[in-house]
Amino acid sequence: MKRMVLKTTLLIAAALTLVACQKDEPGTGKEPGIEKEKEKEKEKEKEKEKEKKYVYDVYVAGYVYKSSKFVAKVWKNGKLLYTLTDGSNRAEAFSLTVSGSDVYAAGYEDKGSRDVAKVWKNGKLLYNLSDGSKHAHAFSLTVSGSDVYAAGYEDNEKNSVAKVWKNGKLLYNLSDGSKHAHAFSLTVSGSDVYAAGYEYNEKNSVAKVWKNGKLLYTLTDGSKNAYTSSLVVSGSDVYAAGYEDNEKNSVAKVWKNGKLLYALTDGSKKAGVSSVFVIGNDVYAAGYEDKGSSDVAKVWKNGKLLYDLTDGSKDAYASSMVVVGSDVYAAGRENKVAKVWKNGKLLYNLTDADGSQKVYIHSLYVVKREVGK
């Protein structure tokens, strides 16, 4: 009898163990049923994503030359979106960004004897960054959350002072005004505000990067002229791009964390970088290189030539660039015609509403948008 009870007890224990083993995966504690449902949901999401269709909206900002005046404008997908100024005064839009459904631009407008630094939102004036008593330009713009940042310069009595503004108010004087300085590019990463440009050293311009109003890197030693025209922060890495003169020409360069990363050209002919963009481990740059009789618009990737955007038969340059997914967009000008390129091929020529070709592009921004949204 005792043997029978013991045998029965052992069988029940074995059955319970088997059920437990079927319920939980060894060493995971996960229930197969729940995990399978999660996998199914993931597959469904993947299928939904495949079914989605996207379009890419291409925004550019710059100006049109008309009747001896510069009119600041913004275009979307090759069509005029906003005329920012009325043409009574000289004006340019140097920088452009899109946040949600809002389109921001920064630049300046001449108000008599002085240029006023300005920010526009959806075609309307948002901020006058300066009061018009001294020359000021906003060269770069970014939006972080509800905050609008701009960088540029404002003159003092003798020199230009590199500046950063936030929501229309001065945030930082990057230089003390004893020597000329400009901030050409700006980015915000978390709570940190980075700017890049130059400061004069009485003989030459010195390429510099600032963080939160303080000098972060002096990129060149000041023995030759150098500028940084573009800046991007990726993770903890700070990239800047521009040019530095050699004995005869300017050399297109990219710096990372204060050190030279790439000399994109060999210095035998003048060259420069206007825009830098980082995706993952890939570093893209756009600008130009002189090829004898004319300048050629170019895009580089990881220090090597990626695209000659033009054939060198006419003067050309790339003034701005962005990378979206695997697509490389660039904007600039060739033979007095404004152009937008995609993956090294011409996407379209940009003309004004009246067909005028006196269009100049300073900035490019691309938005990936789901069809119907």
Side-chain angles (χ1 to χ4, degrees):
M1 184 68 178
K2 286 182 180 179
R3 290 182 181 177
M4 181 62 71
V5 171
L6 181 60
K7 186 175 181 181
T8 303
T9 302
L10 290 172
L11 287 172
I12 291 171
L16 289 172
T17 301
L18 180 61
V19 170
C21 290
Q22 289 176 338
K23 183 178 179 181
D24 290 50
E25 294 177 16
T28 66
K30 295 179 181 178
E31 296 185 21
I34 294 175
E35 289 303 307
K36 285 180 181 178
E37 286 301 317
K38 286 182 179 179
E39 288 299 320
K40 285 180 181 178
E41 288 300 319
K42 286 180 182 179
E43 290 301 319
K44 284 181 183 178
E45 288 300 319
K46 287 180 182 179
E47 289 302 317
K48 285 181 182 178
E49 188 64 28
K50 288 179 182 179
E51 291 172 5
K52 288 179 182 177
K53 293 182 179 179
Y54 292 95
V55 293
Y56 296 85
D57 291 325
V58 180
Y59 298 81
V60 297
Y63 70 95
V64 174
Y65 180 74
K66 280 189 175 181
S67 303
S68 301
K69 301 289 184 182
F70 296 176
V71 183
K73 298 196 176 192
V74 174
W75 294 262
K76 178 182 177 182
N77 298 328
K79 305 295 182 182
L80 180 65
L81 182 63
Y82 301 124
T83 298
L84 303 176
T85 56
D86 63 10
S88 59
N89 300 301
R90 180 171 48 88
E92 297 179 62
F94 287 119
S95 185
L96 170 78
T97 192
V98 180
S99 179
S101 59
D102 295 319
V103 181
Y104 297 82
Y108 77 92
E109 185 177 12
D110 172 27
K111 286 295 184 181
S113 60
R114 299 288 186 269
D115 294 343
V116 178
K118 293 178 176 268
V119 173
W120 297 269
K121 178 181 177 181
N122 299 329
K124 305 294 183 182
L125 180 66
L126 182 62
Y127 303 125
N128 281 322
L129 301 177
S130 58
D131 62 9
S133 62
K134 302 176 185 70
H135 278 303
H137 287 185
F139 290 118
S140 186
L141 171 78
T142 191
V143 175
S144 179
S146 60
D147 295 319
V148 181
Y149 298 82
Y153 80 92
E154 185 176 15
D155 285 349
N156 61 13
E157 298 305 322
K158 294 182 178 180
N159 299 301
S160 55
V161 181
K163 293 180 178 262
V164 174
W165 296 269
K166 178 181 177 182
N167 299 330
K169 304 295 183 182
L170 179 65
L171 182 61
Y172 303 124
N173 283 323
L174 302 177
S175 59
D176 63 9
S178 62
K179 302 177 185 69
H180 283 297
H182 287 183
F184 289 122
S185 187
L186 171 79
T187 191
V188 175
S189 178
S191 59
D192 295 319
V193 181
Y194 298 81
Y198 80 92
E199 187 173 15
Y200 201 63
N201 71 353
E202 296 181 355
K203 288 186 177 181
N204 298 301
S205 55
V206 182
K208 297 192 173 191
V209 174
W210 297 268
K211 178 181 178 182
N212 299 330
K214 305 295 184 182
L215 181 64
L216 181 63
Y217 302 124
T218 299
L219 302 177
T220 56
D221 63 10
S223 62
K224 304 176 185 70
N225 276 317
Y227 286 77
T228 50
S229 53
S230 186
L231 173 76
V232 66
V233 174
S234 178
S236 60
D237 296 318
V238 180
Y239 298 82
Y243 77 85
E244 183 178 16
D245 285 348
N246 61 13
E247 298 303 323
K248 295 181 179 180
N249 298 299
S250 53
V251 182
K253 295 191 173 190
V254 177
W255 296 267
K256 178 182 178 182
N257 299 330
K259 305 295 184 183
L260 180 65
L261 181 64
Y262 302 123
L264 301 175
T265 56
D266 63 9
S268 62
K269 298 181 178 67
K270 64 183 177 68
V273 176
S274 58
S275 188
V276 65
F277 206 93
V278 176
I279 292 286
N281 295 320
D282 295 321
V283 181
Y284 297 82
Y288 78 95
E289 184 178 15
D290 174 33
K291 286 297 183 183
S293 60
S294 60
D295 294 342
V296 178
K298 291 177 175 272
V299 174
W300 297 267
K301 179 181 177 182
N302 300 329
K304 304 294 184 183
L305 180 65
L306 181 63
Y307 303 124
D308 276 331
L309 301 176
T310 57
D311 63 8
S313 61
K314 306 174 186 70
D315 263 334
Y317 60 86
S319 55
S320 189
M321 175 198 60
V322 297
V323 182
V324 181
S326 60
D327 295 319
V328 180
Y329 294 82
R333 194 167 165 84
E334 182 186 21
N335 192 33
K336 301 180 181 180
V337 179
K339 294 177 179 278
V340 175
W341 297 272
K342 179 181 177 182
N343 298 329
K345 304 295 183 182
L346 181 66
L347 188 60
Y348 53 77
N349 291 325
L350 186 65
T351 58
D352 198 22
D354 63 0
S356 168
Q357 291 189 336
K358 293 182 179 179
V359 176
Y360 297 79
I361 299 173
H362 287 308
S363 186
L364 167 75
Y365 198 92
V366 178
V367 176
K368 181 182 178 180
R369 177 173 57 83
E370 189 179 348
V371 174
K373 292 188 177 181

